Amino acid sequence: MALRRQAEDRMRQVLRTFRYREVQTPAFEELELFLAKSGPSIRDELYDFKDKSGRELCLRPELTAPVMRFYFSEMTREPKPLRLFYIGPCYRYDRPQAGRYREFWQVGVEVIGDESPESHAELLWLALNLFRAAGLETLVFRVGHLGILRSVLADVGGIPLDQQAPLMRLIDKRELPELEAAVRARGGAWDRLAPFFHAQTFEDLEALTMPGPAQEGVGHLRALFKTLAGFGADLSKVRLDPMIARGLEYYTGLVFELDCPDLGAEKQLLGGGAYDLSGLFGAQPVATVGFALGFDRTLVALERTARLPPIEERVDALVAALADGARPAAQALANRLRNEGQVVELDLSGRPPKKALARADQIKARQAYLVGDRELARGVVTVKDLDTGDQQERPLHT
Ligand code: AMP
């Protein structure tokens, strides 16, 4: 827990410095929220149940829909852009395996009301900063754009929008032979389409796209990469990836995933993109972009790469009463130091000074305060600095 809390605290600190505001929602939601967002088949992946009043509920599998429900019911009047973050547990009825759990934590953000490439770039920069705060640097960001993908499928491949859904699933899983068969079965132009899936540069993308939404998408990504470089991001770790489809209809443009290559099958640490869930809530469209980071997997990645940071458990002082009569003075001293914010272990056992100092050493306390009958009689406390070995008497009441 010390390690988890340390990583969590550092991430929360980064989120605050980017001026994100924390939100929290209940662990359970109405089942309907996730059925509406992801379709009926999502039910197999949920812990769903009826409560005593017969309401159909489930444990949340993710937090984007709950946060947006919260936004549309409580926060629509907040000035935009509105930047929110959450840190909390999610539940999925998955088959557990390394890096895949039934209860796991996500750290995530949603930016509401800003769809500029600059804002998207800052979002990716934030993600990189979160991992860096946790101590993880071996990462690969893959960035794609659904506007480009959909237009290319339609204009270059001859697959109209309403026939693209089954292909999107194959694209997302990178099953190229199956994809080829599916495109050909729909009378699509596979030979013209195939080079798109291997595109690696903006020039590749420009050569393969037509004016309109596809080229606007390429322009968006170009501006995004340029801004990302302006933050100082290492662009050798950020790649164009035309095959990110992310499976869900409500994504509108930018999509991205981040992997830790040191992990095996479950190497994806983060996923996200630009989306619009207003339709679920009968609200006006609102441009939103967000990501969710797998917190447990991030810690596994740190462990695998032997990058787990040392736990910083600061102990400022051991305060020891060396005799029964010195207890009240030791208690008062501990109270005072703790009220100042110092981390104090209090020892009222009356053990001899040598043993008290051995304990201070054991817990790596910076200072030991010893109060015995002799000190008490003179109104002083013996203070030993464990770093320097320096020992002195100080007045007990200051
Ligand atoms: P998703 O909401 O599926 O895009 O997931 C976002 C991130 O959460 C993934 O990139 C993973 O790092 C993490 N994640 C998803 N499912 C699980 C799980 N069952 N156990 C642990 N981490 C998960």
Side-chain angles (χ1 to χ4, degrees):
M1 276 314 292
L3 264 174
R4 286 183 70 97
R5 280 284 182 245
Q6 184 170 290
E8 188 188 320
D9 288 347
R10 289 179 183 174
M11 289 190 181
R12 185 176 274 111
Q13 184 57 25
V14 169
L15 287 156
R16 290 215 183 100
T17 60
F18 278 69
R19 219 193 84 77
Y20 279 68
R21 292 151 73 191
E22 185 163 7
V23 292
Q24 203 171 51
T25 68
F28 57 85
E29 290 280 345
E30 286 188 17
L31 174 64
E32 180 54 31
L33 179 64
F34 299 102
L35 297 184
K37 181 187 168 209
S38 307
S41 63
I42 188 74
R43 199 163 181 163
D44 299 339
E45 294 165 37
L46 295 177
Y47 279 91
D48 58 331
F49 56 95
K50 279 195 180 148
D51 73 359
K52 289 199 173 81
S53 308
R55 295 182 191 94
E56 294 214 89
L57 303 177
C58 69
L59 296 178
R60 62 188 182 202
E62 50 101 21
L63 271 113
T64 294
V67 168
M68 292 313 288
R69 174 186 59 67
F70 182 27
Y71 166 74
F72 283 113
S73 75
E74 306 283 339
M75 287 183 285
T76 48
R77 295 223 190 100
E78 291 285 319
K80 310 288 182 310
L82 182 61
R83 299 185 183 89
L84 304 175
F85 80 93
Y86 56 81
I87 300 180
C90 303
Y91 308 85
R92 292 185 192 173
Y93 199 73
D94 257 334
R95 200 164 54 82
Q97 50 188 289
R100 187 167 285 277
Y101 315 110
R102 287 181 169 165
E103 175 170 343
F104 61 98
W105 280 57
Q106 284 189 342
V107 177
V109 306
E110 319 295 343
V111 180
I112 302 163
D114 191 347
E115 56 186 333
S116 66
E118 291 73 29
S119 141
H120 288 177
E122 194 185 30
L123 187 82
L124 301 196
W125 179 235
L126 168 62
L128 290 171
N129 276 266
L130 289 177
F131 288 109
R132 197 173 60 198
L136 199 62
E137 309 245 11
T138 50
L139 303 165
V140 178
F141 232 131
R142 294 177 288 105
V143 182
H145 195 287
L146 283 187
I148 305 176
L149 180 56
R150 287 181 185 132
S151 301
V152 168
L153 282 176
D155 302 341
V156 180
I159 309 282
L161 210 53
D162 58 2
Q163 288 183 34
Q164 291 180 3
L167 302 185
M168 288 295 199
R169 276 191 289 278
L170 296 174
I171 293 170
D172 207 41
K173 290 199 224 138
R174 288 162 208 269
E175 295 178 345
L176 279 174
E178 291 82 354
L179 179 64
E180 176 178 353
V183 169
R184 290 195 193 280
R186 286 170 177 75
W190 175 253
D191 296 333
R192 293 178 59 208
L193 205 49
F196 173 75
F197 297 118
H198 299 105
Q200 288 181 352
T201 63
F202 287 116
E203 291 70 30
D204 293 345
L205 283 181
E206 262 150 18
L208 290 160
T209 48
M210 300 201 184
Q215 291 204 342
E216 282 162 25
V218 179
H220 185 95
L221 292 185
R222 254 192 200 280
L224 186 162
F225 274 58
K226 189 167 169 225
T227 311
L228 197 52
F231 282 113
D234 175 0
L235 286 194
S236 68
K237 291 180 182 166
V238 188
R239 291 191 198 138
L240 283 178
D241 181 355
M243 294 198 78
I244 304 176
R246 299 221 29 98
L248 288 168
E249 302 269 307
Y250 60 84
Y251 280 104
T252 51
L254 177 74
V255 278
F256 50 87
E257 292 171 349
L258 179 141
D259 306 321
C260 176
D262 298 313
L263 295 182
E266 306 302 327
K267 65 178 193 264
Q268 197 182 310
L269 295 186
L270 170 145
Y275 65 89
D276 182 4
L277 282 184
S278 57
L280 287 189
F281 304 95
Q284 292 297 315
V286 61
T288 317
V289 63
F291 63 68
L293 172 163
F295 186 69
D296 312 79
R297 252 182 229 184
T298 302
L299 292 179
V300 173
L302 286 168
E303 216 169 1
R304 290 273 176 86
T305 54
R307 304 285 304 242
L308 275 181
I311 300 173
E312 285 166 22
E313 278 187 303
R314 177 175 65 104
V315 183
D316 295 306
L318 176 89
V319 174
L322 304 176
D324 286 354
R327 276 185 186 168
Q331 286 169 297
L333 181 58
N335 282 351
R336 201 181 82 215
L337 297 177
R338 283 173 176 159
N339 287 340
E340 285 170 7
Q342 297 202 35
V343 179
V344 175
E345 181 170 301
L346 176 62
D347 179 358
L348 296 178
S349 68
R351 61 173 124 194
K354 239 188 172 159
K355 290 211 166 146
L357 287 175
R359 173 66 182 170
D361 214 35
Q362 184 183 46
I363 61 171
K364 298 194 171 66
R366 286 193 303 117
Q367 292 191 304
Y369 291 76
L370 308 179
V371 202
D373 287 334
R374 263 185 302 146
E375 282 86 358
L376 212 52
R378 287 184 295 123
V380 297
V381 53
T382 300
V383 186
K384 177 163 182 177
D385 185 310
L386 282 290
D387 292 333
T388 61
D390 183 44
Q391 192 167 311
Q392 49 173 277
E393 288 187 344
R394 280 194 218 151
L396 197 49
H397 308 287
T398 42

